[in-house]
Amino acid sequence: MLSLDSVWEASLNIREYVKKTPVLHAESLSKVLGFSCYLKAENFQVTGSFKIRGAANSILKLVKQRPSLPGLVAASSGNHGQAVAYTANNLGIPAIIVMPESASKTKVDAVAGYGAKIEYAGSTTDSRIARAEEVKLKTGYIEIPPYDHFDVIAGQGTIAKEILEQMPDIDTVIIPVGGGGLISGIASTIKTLKPGTTVVGVEPEKSNSMYKSIKKGKITRLKDTKSMADGLLALQPGGLTFPLVKKYVDRIVLVKEEDIFEALKLCLDTFKVVAEPSGAVSLAAALKEDWGVNKKVMCIISGGNCDVSVYLNKKC
Ligand SMILES: *Cc1c(COP(=O)(O)O)cnc(C)c1O
């Protein structure tokens, strides 16, 4: 299980690597919606997403145990890769990032910009994991997993610590779900410190492995996933994240692609925030329900790495 101590330790560990991201509020929008809508803007985080929190925590812990690391490898649709590449670069450790062939140019450029080597492998999480395995065998590099590791989960949990400092009276937190590392860290921390808070996860309708798994009571694998939210395409929840979600998350909701697109536009128009589709699903979910008069609802905008020109021209 994940302990609060490990989240506190992570917070100390990574303090020189991450920013305390702002909480944004839109008064006029909140009046229309009938509840107070806040964004935790991890799009402003170092490397453009929350992934740096878990990656930096894992890597810094690893370096303490093994001062002469040969190198690091990560399988990633982009943001985890950027986070590992950035941290490795800062510590002077070589890194190889395995990315999907369809990875957005923004993400590929960023990873390359941090000095990491890129290897392309298929389009699914599984094909990337297999390639990372090959790289590990060939090079002796150590793999930094994107979500299914307690050091990663503890790193992501530091967001909850910040939220409770910034908004101690928060009622509900809405969180995007991919493999489940982000929500596991936040949910276990918030529910331990402030059990009355409602914690809601969000998945795209056609990439709903956590939703299905929770419904069936066991880890359930999808054959396929499809969504513009490219950070949320895990085929199944993690072995560590699933029990944490089951224990601490109140429910998982699903959003349609059109809902995500509306939320992206609202982020730009109302909050002046560039969110990536995976980061905007939380706001998409918030807009679909009545959360109660004057309730304070925090949407985690988990990242902002996207080719803006692509989605500005897109019609849903
Ligand atoms: C990775 C990622 C997620 C999902 O996080 P998990 O820990 O895999 O659930 C959500 N949003 C963005 C922007 C991401 O990069």
Side-chain angles (χ1 to χ4, degrees):
M1 275 288 138
L2 186 76
S3 71
L4 265 189
D5 281 354
S6 63
V7 176
W8 257 240
E9 183 201 323
S11 158
L12 277 177
N13 241 349
I14 65 178
R15 69 190 184 284
E16 283 165 21
Y17 284 78
V18 304
K19 284 197 264 202
K20 184 169 182 172
T21 51
V23 168
L24 310 175
H25 179 52
E27 236 164 84
S28 50
L29 174 69
S30 295
K31 281 207 186 99
V32 176
L33 294 173
F35 59 86
S36 290
C37 184
Y38 295 86
L39 306 188
K40 175 68 172 162
E42 283 288 301
N43 57 294
F44 295 132
Q45 188 49 269
V46 177
T47 71
S49 86
F50 73 93
K51 287 282 197 328
I52 184 77
R53 296 175 185 262
N57 189 44
S58 307
I59 295 169
L60 291 164
K61 285 189 78 169
L62 206 58
V63 169
K64 271 187 206 153
Q65 291 155 12
R66 286 187 56 175
S68 59
L69 271 183
L72 299 168
V73 57
S76 167
S77 65
N79 286 338
H80 176 61
Q82 283 188 51
V84 171
Y86 173 88
T87 312
N89 195 33
N90 262 274
L91 293 165
I93 303 168
I96 295 177
I97 309 300
V98 182
M99 299 183 83
E101 272 142 18
S102 61
S104 75
K105 189 173 176 316
T106 319
K107 292 182 178 181
V108 172
D109 288 350
V111 167
Y114 296 132
K117 221 178 117 196
I118 297 170
E119 292 219 9
Y120 292 97
S123 62
T124 62
T125 313
D126 282 11
S127 52
R128 291 193 289 284
I129 290 170
R131 178 63 62 82
E133 210 54 46
E134 284 169 30
V135 171
K136 261 173 17 189
L137 286 174
K138 215 167 60 191
T139 59
Y141 283 16
I142 310 286
E143 184 171 5
I144 305 296
Y147 51 84
D148 216 23
H149 191 292
F150 281 127
D151 294 339
V152 174
I153 297 171
Q156 324 306 28
T158 60
I159 296 177
K161 181 172 180 281
E162 280 179 29
I163 290 175
L164 291 175
E165 286 162 9
Q166 291 166 309
M167 293 239 359
D169 55 348
I170 192 73
D171 295 299
T172 299
V173 184
I174 308 180
I175 307 162
V177 177
L182 175 64
I183 195 167
S184 296
I186 295 178
S188 28
T189 308
I190 288 224
K191 287 285 192 180
T192 309
L193 291 170
K194 196 171 177 275
T197 319
T198 303
V199 178
V200 176
V202 190
E203 289 183 314
E205 270 187 350
K206 290 189 179 139
S207 186
N208 60 350
S209 64
M210 190 66 83
Y211 177 86
K212 278 202 165 153
S213 300
I214 292 291
K215 213 167 160 194
K216 290 200 173 163
K218 60 171 201 259
I219 292 179
T220 303
R221 193 177 165 78
L222 303 177
K223 282 198 198 71
D224 203 6
T225 54
K226 196 169 183 299
S227 174
M228 70 170 124
D230 60 356
L232 310 181
L233 301 180
L235 290 171
Q236 65 179 63
L240 300 180
T241 59
F242 176 69
L244 289 170
V245 171
K246 201 167 145 199
K247 178 163 181 202
Y248 291 112
V249 175
D250 293 288
R251 61 200 168 92
I252 308 283
V253 301
L254 302 177
V255 291
K256 294 184 195 312
E257 295 298 290
E258 305 92 89
D259 303 335
I260 303 175
F261 192 64
E262 284 309 312
L264 286 173
K265 286 200 294 194
L266 194 69
C267 274
L268 276 177
D269 282 345
T270 304
F271 293 94
K272 316 302 172 199
V273 157
V274 175
E276 61 182 278
S278 306
V281 297
S282 51
L283 183 59
L287 298 175
K288 283 177 51 162
E289 284 187 41
D290 182 359
W291 300 90
V293 181
N294 295 332
K295 289 289 182 198
K296 295 188 165 70
V297 177
M298 179 80 70
C299 302
I300 309 289
I301 303 297
S302 47
N305 292 321
C306 58
D307 297 337
V308 179
S309 58
V310 172
Y311 83 69
L312 284 182
N313 293 325
K314 203 176 164 115
K315 294 204 173 52
C316 265

